[in-house]
Amino acid sequence: MMALWRLRTLLSWRWLLGNKLQLLLALTGIVTGVAAVIAVDAARQAVNSSFASNRLALQGRASHQITAIDDQAISLEQYVRLRQQLADLPLAPLTSFRLRHVDGDLLQMQAVDLISDLQWSRRDTAGASSDADTVVAQIAESDMANWLAGEPLVLVSADLLERVADGQLLIESPRSQPGVPVVLSLQVVGSLASHSSSPASVYMDQALAARLRGSDSVDLVRLLLTGEQAQSLPERLPPGLQLKPVDSGDNGMAAAFGLNLQAMGLLALLMGVLLVYSTFRLLILQREPLHQLRYRLGESQAQHWLETLVEALVLGLIGSLLGLVAGLLLAELVLSWLQQTLAELFSRGGFGWNAPAWRTVALALLTGVGSSLLAILPMLWRWWRSHKQTVPQPSRQRSQLRLWIAFALLLSAVLLLQLMSGLVAALAALFAVTLAWLLLSQRLLMLLAGMLHAGSSMRKPLLALASARLREAIPKMTPALAALILALATLVGVSSMISSFRGSVIDWLEITLSAPVYMSNGGAAMPPGLQQQIDALPMVQTTGWLHALPALINDPTTASTQLVLLDLPEQGQQSYRMLAGQSLWSEAFDAHSAAAARSAQAVAVMVGETLARRQQLNVDDVLQITVAGHQRQVLIVGIYQDYSAGGGRLIAKRADWLQAPQQPTSLAVYLAETEVPAFRQWLNRQLDPASAVSMISATRVKSETLRIFDQTFLLTRALRWILALVAMVGVSGALLALQLERQQELRLLHQLGLSGWEQQRLILFEALFLALLAMLLALPLGYLLGWMLTEIINLRAFGWHIDLTVLSAHWMLMIAVGLLAGLLAAAIAMLVNQRSLQDQQPKALPSAALLT
Amino acid sequence: MIIVPQAKQLMRALCIVAMLVLIACERTPPAASSSQQPSSQSDRAMAMLSVEHSDGFRQAQGQREFVFPKDHGHHHGYRTEWWYVTGNLQAENGRRFGYQLTFFRVLLRPPAQSQKVAATATSAWSTAAVWLAQAAVSDIDQQRFYTSEQLSRELPGAAQAADDRLQVRVNSWTLAAPQTDPHAVADMELFMDSDDFSLQLSLHADKPVVLQGDNGLSRKSADDSDNASWYYSMTRLHSSGELRITQPQSSDEVLTVSGSSWLDREWSTSALNTRQAGWDWFALQLDNGHELMFYRLRLQNGDIDQASAGILVDASGQVTPLLNSDISAQALSSWYDRQNNKRYPIAWRLQSAVHGIDLQLRAMLPNQAWSGRFQYWEGAVSVRGEWQEGAVTGRGYVELTGYD
């Protein structure tokens, strides 16, 4: 029995090995499907890992920091006591201060204890590096002893290199008398890349910092704590010190990018499954005549099914492994191509991916082997239903079933969105809607093909023949076409989402940044009199006043929420795009809401959209908030668009807030754009180096934001092309397989008078018709995906309202890719047909191969 | 010529210098292979310890008078100095433990430059010295090995040693004379604390200080008389105190423990010979009141260095030197350290026909290997055998370096 089974299996393999092109196409289909999934997944993993590294680099490893309660420095005695009491925890001190360069500009000094950082950074072996790690590593390459001794050795940020002459950076001593600067020379032994350090920054050891400042104190001590450690640590702290969590600093844009990559990963998985499914299904269908013959020779359905199962396992396994390699190479190719841009965005450590983990291998096997097995399930189903049925035929019943499943999926997507507010539900709905559309695609394709046939019948016989053949091909081609539809739809959907997001951010920046210059004091109050000095400058038109205070709403998780008190000039009063209610500076507010606020004995506030969504706040809600230990009632009069990260904001007028602080924490300076450099010079001259006041121009904020945005989404744009490319290859393979199956028919047509040229045109028309149908179905699905990504998923994930932008460029892009797919498929099929036409000897039928 | 014990100092020096070499070489591209350049970490460390790198530092040479408690304190001008305590403990419930607590001080610049630093420094942060402290506990019955280490620049109050008495500190880890008698010679207290374990012990010397080598001058090489260190030991310290072991899923275990410890003190500038591949060091405390210390220096070519040596200390504290020819050490079985891909011997036979000694040593826990930056094996052993025609048992500590 076993010998017979082996023989039959061997016969099946003989067919495959005797039809090498079919075997090659089958493997190509599986490989491309798996490769698409793996490429997107590998790229996503690389990006996630790089984001983590980047965040680490920017923020350091610290989860917490210890500071003095009065926000003053930590004295050496306190620091030593900390070291004695917390020896079980690695502590890393950090000191920041500013010194003036001899040309007048202020430079930011950053000091670490090299030895503490060296030990501290060893706690994490993930291979990632923080800013401090880089500094320590670079310093360690030089003479450590000199650094520890407090020699004037420093590293500088790249932008300062132009100010380094003969390896020296000249600064004014902090002990200089007014008008009589004492110049100190710091020896620059290296620099940090521009993307890995803050501008105008100088890095050194604590010993030198102490010498320059004339103080042994440190600003803060960084720690890496578990949740349990963080809970118990405050009790162990010496008096006068406090523990603070480091702001997680989650970059909203990065998170949005990661989420969209996740959605793309899902779509890629679906596409990969479709491609593999399509390939194997075609392989089965191609051998139906052979199967019929063998059935008549006595083979049972069970034997046939077992053989096909083995075949699916073997081909699926080989295709999965090859697809795994191809996918990783593809990801490597894309990442290498984008290396420079991505490295600039992500980290100094470069941008790379690790060796494939078991998870990746499992994903490849799931896609390749799993989808191949999925393709033989219908056969198993039929075998189970009836042992006598020999030829599997697409039935109306199956079509009905698909229809019902599609409607069920659509219904469940609607229910998911209506009943569940989470992100997982939204992603599940996205997946369900996509799957439903693809399940409906065969019916829709047949419908469209029918219309096409009706239209083309009246024109040319060749077109009519092509459209007729197309209708016959659609049932077999549906999975491959579904993959193409999905790829084209992803192209449109993701492009729409990115454009919409970018457009919204640009609009938001344009509206919000009304002043050319913004100044802050690192969260602390501005020096008294500075605003008046600025107001008195002839170049300055006016200033806006801002003071941010930590506010607590309802529960402690909103600890990072800020109450922002504003005193805005007329130029700044339109800086908020209202999504609901009114602006505090609108006329409608003065007339109506101010009275309501008075009657509720509450202060009128506007709330940022992210905070409103997270706390489920609405206009006219009255809230109790705690600010500086005092509870106050606030009335929400409006909700404004807010893309800023963090815990969210409430905005109130300074005049409405009792006992508002005197000094602002930030200033908006209104002046002509051309005056910004002069203002910067004035400010640099004016400021005390010890002060933390800094300024940034609105132009720089906008350009930096958009630069980061574009770099962030560059990979997403590239991955869309991977999906499109893979789908094109997949569809070409499917069309070619179909073409090979129809060689007999073409020969018959040839004998009936259809010339070789007409045959080639017939193939071209068929391929283009297929592409056209795929495009017609991809366009609505693409916009649906774009809408869901923009209006539902981003909104649920981040609380960001984004207006969906529909650009003609998106569907023109899709048409170009669709046409390219059709032409590629046609070109390959025409090439094969051409060779067949040149072949004088008629090829044996596949079944004949077996009989001989 | 008297050949003095030096294995321990070699190991410690290697640890310290390896640390510094790694600091210095951190993240630098690997140097091109060259016959002039040491290829391995050990080689580089040994190269760093050779005489030509010792310029400007004080050398151990001539004669000196040891004065206590002053010599318990740190000595200026030498490149390396360490305080090294190992011991075997037993809890009241019979549970057995081994432990190690070591403090290393490394001077990064020669004294002349260091003095210049001190003279110009306006800050406590300015320093020429770095401290490394390592601690380990072997939980014999639970078959667990815990390690922890602290690294710090010299900073008053945080990492420093007194220079007139025993008072060493790296963060909260301390080895010091009791507060009630800060100038004690024979009494000391140690404390260390980490995530996994903490140890607090009171130590009392049952025997006087043993000066190693030639009245405390321990020569480092039979070939090169310039290589030497100042070296003394306290070979039997009665120990009692408290050991805490963190339990991941329950409350910490706090155990009252007692046992016997061994203190080594050494300061030097040059140490190793580049021909040496590693060493096996044995420090045994026998139940008959004797102590035996022997080290075996292994050369790169597989031979045993003639500088290998040891000492015998009898119950009254009298010292008898052991020459390399007096004693043989044979490895009986080994253990493979998968994590570091190294194979260490874990059972030995020590024989000395001259002194009528035939001892079998067995590691009380196979895995007592340090991982990470420095990889070596140091752990508690049990001893059983013959001592001058009488049966004897005991415990000890063994240190193994340079294994692949």
Side-chain angles (χ1 to χ4, degrees):
Chain A
M1 186 66 186
M2 185 58 79
L4 185 64
W5 186 78
R6 278 184 189 154
L7 178 65
R8 290 177 191 285
T9 308
L10 188 65
L11 290 176
S12 178
W13 283 106
R14 270 184 61 189
W15 182 89
L16 273 177
L17 295 173
N19 294 271
K20 290 190 175 61
L21 193 55
Q22 272 87 347
L23 180 62
L24 184 69
L25 285 172
L27 276 175
T28 305
I30 299 171
V31 168
T32 48
V34 173
V37 176
I38 296 302
V40 174
D41 187 67
R44 188 171 66 85
Q45 283 189 51
V47 167
N48 285 344
S49 143
S50 296
F51 262 130
S53 301
N54 191 41
R55 190 165 56 200
L56 180 71
L58 294 173
Q59 295 177 205
R61 279 170 221 283
S63 62
H64 292 74
Q65 58 191 35
I66 294 171
T67 59
I69 285 176
D70 53 8
D71 277 337
Q72 298 299 306
I74 298 174
S75 68
L76 183 65
E77 291 70 28
Q78 284 176 310
Y79 174 67
V80 166
R81 215 172 307 143
L82 263 182
R83 291 269 300 267
Q84 291 175 1
Q85 293 187 13
L86 306 178
D88 53 325
L89 300 171
L91 307 173
L94 183 74
T95 303
S96 303
F97 59 103
R98 296 201 297 191
L99 290 177
R100 195 181 297 281
H101 188 259
V102 286
D103 68 6
D105 281 352
L106 288 171
L107 308 181
Q108 186 66 44
M109 309 284 150
Q110 301 273 9
V112 297
D113 173 5
L114 293 175
I115 301 294
S116 291
D117 261 84
L118 190 68
Q119 186 189 20
W120 198 63
S121 63
R122 290 282 151 198
R123 295 275 291 190
D124 182 276
T125 53
S129 61
S130 71
D131 221 20
D133 288 347
T134 311
V135 173
V136 170
Q138 288 211 22
I139 290 173
E141 288 171 13
S142 61
D143 185 356
M144 175 75 91
N146 290 330
W147 289 82
L148 297 183
E151 301 281 0
L153 306 173
V154 295
L155 296 173
V156 296
S157 55
D159 60 308
L160 286 185
L161 280 178
E162 61 187 29
R163 302 187 188 195
V164 176
D166 297 329
Q168 306 292 315
L169 183 71
L170 301 178
I171 56 163
E172 289 181 15
S173 166
R175 296 185 186 83
S176 300
Q177 297 297 316
V180 192
V182 176
V183 176
L184 295 176
S185 174
L186 302 178
Q187 187 185 338
V188 177
V189 298
S191 67
L192 298 180
S194 57
H195 58 270
S196 62
S197 61
S198 305
S201 292
V202 181
Y203 300 88
M204 64 189 69
D205 182 69
Q206 288 284 0
L208 176 59
R211 285 181 61 190
L212 292 173
R213 298 167 68 219
S215 166
D216 282 342
S217 62
V218 299
D219 285 352
L220 55 92
V221 177
R222 295 161 288 152
L223 302 100
L224 185 62
L225 300 177
T226 62
E228 196 178 331
Q229 287 172 325
Q231 275 194 332
S232 62
L233 193 63
E235 298 165 11
R236 300 170 60 194
L237 289 180
L241 299 181
Q242 62 182 344
L243 181 71
K244 287 180 179 175
V246 172
D247 186 3
S248 68
D250 280 335
N251 180 328
M253 205 179 285
F257 169 61
L259 183 70
N260 283 298
L261 271 186
Q262 205 170 353
M264 276 190 80
L266 272 177
L267 296 175
L269 181 64
L270 186 55
M271 200 190 86
V273 168
L274 282 169
L275 278 177
V276 178
Y277 178 89
S278 158
T279 302
F280 209 80
R281 189 164 167 271
L282 273 176
L283 197 63
I284 293 170
L285 292 179
Q286 279 168 5
R287 286 178 298 167
E288 281 303 334
L290 171 66
H291 175 218
Q292 270 187 299
L293 185 63
R294 292 173 62 186
Y295 180 72
R296 285 181 194 129
L297 291 173
E299 185 186 65
S300 73
Q301 285 284 11
Q303 286 164 341
H304 174 52
W305 187 82
L306 273 175
E307 280 176 17
T308 313
L309 177 68
V310 171
E311 202 174 270
L313 284 172
V314 173
L315 282 182
L317 187 65
I318 295 170
S320 299
L321 296 177
L322 291 174
L324 175 68
V325 175
L328 291 174
L329 287 175
L330 209 53
E332 169 74 3
L333 193 71
V334 171
L335 294 177
S336 304
W337 177 48
L338 302 176
Q339 177 77 33
Q340 195 169 349
T341 311
L342 292 169
E344 191 183 329
L345 175 66
F346 288 113
S347 73
R348 76 223 63 186
F351 185 84
W353 46 277
N354 298 322
W358 284 112
R359 183 187 159 280
T360 312
V361 177
L363 188 63
L365 290 176
L366 180 77
T367 312
V369 180
S371 306
S372 300
L373 293 176
L374 198 67
I376 62 171
L377 277 183
M379 183 198 292
L380 175 65
W381 172 254
R382 287 195 299 280
W383 173 68
W384 184 72
R385 291 280 304 270
S386 165
H387 292 270
K388 291 180 181 176
Q389 192 171 345
T390 55
V391 183
Q393 294 291 338
S395 68
R396 180 174 293 275
Q397 198 178 359
R398 278 166 49 204
S399 177
Q400 289 288 344
L401 181 65
R402 274 201 296 270
L403 195 64
W404 282 114
I405 293 174
F407 282 128
L409 283 169
L410 283 174
L411 184 65
S412 57
V414 172
L415 288 175
L416 275 171
L417 293 177
Q418 288 296 321
L419 302 177
M420 299 174 74
S421 58
L423 189 60
V424 176
L427 284 171
L430 176 88
F431 197 75
V433 165
T434 309
L435 202 56
W437 185 258
L438 297 179
L439 283 170
L440 289 173
S441 60
Q442 184 169 330
R443 281 203 164 210
L444 294 170
L445 283 168
M446 289 299 283
L447 185 71
L448 289 171
M451 290 163 66
L452 193 68
H453 183 61
S456 57
S457 313
M458 293 178 285
R459 296 176 187 271
K460 289 186 177 179
L462 203 58
L463 283 178
L465 182 60
S467 58
R469 281 163 51 91
L470 185 69
R471 289 181 71 187
E472 289 170 24
I474 282 175
K476 292 180 181 178
M477 289 286 290
T478 298
L481 280 172
L484 182 62
I485 292 168
L486 185 56
L488 295 176
T490 303
L491 202 62
V492 173
V494 173
S495 302
S496 304
M497 188 283 298
I498 296 173
S499 302
S500 307
F501 193 4
R502 194 176 193 277
S504 296
V505 169
I506 290 172
D507 290 348
W508 176 67
L509 289 172
E510 286 296 331
I511 294 171
T512 307
L513 300 174
S514 57
V517 168
Y518 289 86
M519 296 172 56
S520 77
N521 192 25
M526 290 279 193
L530 182 61
Q531 187 181 13
Q532 289 73 15
Q533 281 181 287
I534 294 170
D535 278 331
L537 290 172
M539 69 180 101
V540 173
Q541 296 157 8
T542 183
T543 52
W545 185 100
L546 180 151
H547 194 109
L549 294 162
L552 274 174
I553 306 175
N554 300 334
D555 68 78
T557 59
T558 60
S560 57
T561 302
Q562 286 186 325
L563 171 73
V564 179
L565 303 177
L566 286 179
D567 186 358
L568 292 179
E570 198 176 338
Q571 294 97 314
Q573 291 178 4
Q574 304 302 318
S575 303
Y576 297 93
R577 181 189 168 197
M578 303 309 295
L579 300 174
Q582 294 128 13
S583 163
L584 289 170
W585 290 273
S586 72
E587 287 179 11
F589 166 74
D590 286 337
H592 170 69
S593 300
R598 278 194 298 276
S599 68
Q601 293 188 319
V603 177
V605 296
M606 299 192 302
V607 177
E609 185 188 16
T610 47
L611 178 62
R613 287 194 187 278
R614 195 171 57 243
Q615 291 280 320
Q616 296 181 325
L617 304 176
N618 294 303
V619 173
D620 292 337
D621 283 355
V622 176
L623 284 180
Q624 187 153 302
I625 65 171
T626 307
V627 179
H630 300 290
Q631 290 194 334
R632 300 288 290 271
Q633 300 262 37
V634 294
L635 170 71
I636 299 172
V637 298
I639 293 170
Y640 67 93
Q641 190 177 33
D642 184 12
Y643 289 148
S644 56
R649 288 176 184 162
L650 300 116
I651 290 177
K653 281 184 176 175
R654 178 191 181 186
D656 293 347
W657 197 261
L658 286 175
Q659 297 174 328
Q662 287 296 310
Q663 300 304 327
T665 52
S666 299
L667 282 174
V669 183
Y670 294 87
L671 71 175
E673 288 281 354
T674 52
E675 299 283 8
V676 172
F679 180 76
R680 184 187 296 278
Q681 279 187 344
W682 174 86
L683 191 67
N684 270 330
R685 284 195 307 273
Q686 199 66 24
L687 286 178
D688 182 342
S691 103
V693 174
S694 61
M695 68 159 269
I696 187 165
S697 71
T699 311
R700 180 157 182 215
V701 174
K702 287 175 196 169
S703 64
E704 281 296 296
T705 306
L706 291 180
R707 183 183 67 82
I708 292 169
F709 183 97
D710 289 338
Q711 287 176 336
T712 304
F713 283 96
L714 194 62
L715 185 68
T716 315
R717 293 175 203 268
L719 289 182
R720 291 174 312 175
W721 291 105
I722 287 190
L723 293 188
L725 179 72
V726 168
M728 279 161 61
V729 174
V731 169
S732 303
L735 191 68
L736 186 58
L738 198 68
Q739 210 60 46
L740 288 172
E741 193 192 340
R742 290 175 160 191
Q743 288 291 303
Q744 289 291 322
E745 189 184 329
L746 281 174
R747 283 197 195 94
L748 185 63
L749 287 170
H750 185 54
Q751 286 166 3
L752 289 174
L754 196 70
S755 70
W757 167 237
E758 284 168 330
Q759 279 186 39
Q760 298 293 62
R761 285 168 64 201
L762 183 66
I763 292 170
L764 178 66
F765 288 153
E766 277 178 30
L768 290 177
F769 280 165
L770 277 176
L772 177 67
L773 297 186
M775 285 187 273
L776 286 172
L777 290 188
L779 198 61
L781 179 61
Y783 281 121
L784 188 64
L785 290 180
W787 177 78
M788 290 187 77
L789 282 170
T790 308
E791 302 273 354
I792 298 175
I793 291 176
N794 275 323
L795 192 64
R796 287 192 177 191
F798 315 108
W800 291 340
H801 177 85
I802 299 171
D803 296 322
L804 180 64
T805 310
V806 178
L807 296 177
S808 56
H810 300 152
W811 57 264
M812 286 176 72
L813 186 71
M814 185 207 69
I815 288 175
V817 174
L819 280 177
L820 204 61
L823 289 173
L824 180 69
I828 296 172
M830 285 160 72
L831 197 66
V832 171
N833 189 53
Q834 180 68 30
R835 290 181 65 180
S836 171
L837 286 170
Q838 287 169 354
D839 190 358
Q840 295 301 313
Q841 298 297 325
K843 281 191 177 176
L845 284 170
S847 53
L850 177 64
L851 289 171
T852 55
Chain B
M1 184 175 73
I2 298 172
I3 300 176
V4 293
Q6 52 194 325
K8 193 120 183 172
Q9 71 215 28
L10 298 182
M11 180 266 149
R12 291 164 199 171
L14 178 61
C15 277
I16 298 162
V17 176
M19 175 190 81
L20 293 174
V21 169
L22 283 170
I23 289 171
C25 300
E26 197 78 42
R27 305 190 191 193
T28 50
S33 177
S34 160
S35 58
Q36 299 301 313
Q37 289 178 318
S39 57
S40 70
Q41 181 180 313
S42 301
D43 292 342
R44 282 183 291 164
M46 288 185 180
M48 284 288 290
L49 281 175
S50 60
V51 177
E52 59 267 27
H53 290 279
S54 308
D55 293 349
F57 291 96
R58 289 178 72 185
Q59 296 280 351
Q61 54 191 12
Q63 293 289 319
R64 78 185 297 279
E65 185 182 356
F66 284 79
V67 178
F68 295 97
K70 183 173 170 50
D71 277 316
H72 278 336
H74 101 78
H75 299 80
H76 296 274
Y78 296 91
R79 192 157 67 175
T80 56
E81 178 159 17
W82 53 85
W83 294 253
Y84 212 110
V85 190
T86 53
N88 280 279
L89 305 170
Q90 191 155 2
E92 287 173 326
N93 60 6
R95 202 162 141 194
R96 297 164 299 163
F97 297 93
Y99 84 93
Q100 159 195 357
L101 179 64
T102 56
F103 295 89
F104 303 96
R105 180 182 188 267
V106 184
L107 196 60
L108 299 178
R109 312 212 302 186
Q113 291 182 42
S114 303
Q115 282 160 12
K116 187 178 155 196
V117 169
T120 57
T122 55
S123 161
W125 290 97
S126 297
T127 183
V130 174
W131 284 81
L132 171 70
Q134 292 188 315
V137 162
S138 305
D139 187 342
I140 308 300
D141 298 313
Q142 300 288 329
Q143 296 283 295
R144 285 184 182 153
F145 182 59
Y146 304 95
T147 61
S148 181
E149 73 176 24
Q150 303 270 325
L151 184 63
S152 175
R153 70 201 296 150
E154 190 158 85
L155 188 67
Q160 66 176 147
D163 56 7
D164 61 344
R165 59 203 156 99
L166 182 60
Q167 189 180 58
V168 188
R169 171 186 287 279
V170 175
N171 298 328
S172 66
W173 295 17
T174 54
L175 176 67
Q179 285 187 346
T180 51
D181 185 5
H183 291 89
V185 175
D187 291 295
M188 54 194 78
E189 291 178 341
L190 68 81
F191 174 80
M192 64 73 50
D193 190 17
S194 74
D195 280 354
D196 297 326
F197 63 101
S198 65
L199 184 63
Q200 177 268 312
L201 290 176
S202 295
L203 311 177
H204 173 75
D206 293 333
K207 291 186 181 179
V209 168
V210 173
L211 298 184
Q212 303 277 14
D214 181 8
N215 199 27
L217 182 66
S218 167
R219 301 196 187 283
K220 298 183 182 306
S221 166
D223 302 336
D224 184 353
S225 59
D226 287 342
N227 279 11
S229 67
W230 298 112
Y231 184 13
Y232 72 85
S233 304
M234 297 175 85
T235 58
R236 195 174 285 261
L237 296 157
H238 178 263
S239 312
S240 60
E242 209 169 66
L243 171 66
R244 175 190 59 82
I245 305 279
T246 303
Q247 299 293 322
Q249 303 297 332
S250 59
S251 57
D252 294 353
E253 274 187 289
V254 181
L255 302 158
T256 300
V257 292
S258 62
S260 188
S261 303
W262 180 302
L263 168 74
D264 269 356
R265 284 276 293 114
E266 191 161 6
W267 56 99
S268 67
T269 287
S270 54
L272 296 180
N273 185 325
T274 52
R275 293 187 303 121
Q276 293 160 344
W279 52 86
D280 306 331
W281 177 86
F282 308 91
L284 312 177
Q285 294 171 323
L286 302 168
D287 295 343
N288 61 10
H290 288 71
E291 289 88 47
L292 181 153
M293 192 283 280
F294 177 74
Y295 65 88
R296 189 172 65 151
L297 276 172
R298 303 190 315 278
L299 299 179
Q300 301 280 3
N301 63 7
D303 292 343
I304 302 300
D305 195 313
Q306 288 307 306
S308 303
I311 52 165
L312 292 175
V313 182
D314 70 12
S316 65
Q318 289 297 311
V319 179
T320 305
L322 284 174
L323 302 179
N324 181 47
S325 55
D326 292 343
I327 195 162
S328 68
Q330 179 191 359
L332 301 178
S333 65
S334 64
W335 169 77
Y336 179 59
D337 176 5
R338 289 180 189 282
Q339 193 175 348
N340 301 306
N341 192 28
K342 291 181 187 296
R343 182 170 288 281
Y344 295 105
I346 53 165
W348 305 263
R349 184 173 185 186
L350 291 187
Q351 288 177 293
S352 172
V354 179
H355 297 284
I357 297 169
D358 185 356
L359 302 174
Q360 290 206 9
L361 283 59
R362 181 162 293 280
M364 297 175 81
L365 175 65
N367 182 5
Q368 297 181 85
W370 277 78
S371 298
R373 198 190 291 274
F374 317 117
Q375 293 164 13
Y376 64 102
W377 192 100
E378 174 140 5
V381 295
S382 62
V383 185
R384 184 179 298 277
E386 301 287 327
W387 186 277
Q388 293 165 0
E389 299 182 352
V392 71
T393 57
R395 290 187 186 176
Y397 245 77
V398 170
E399 191 172 76
L400 309 169
T401 69
Y403 281 89
D404 293 321

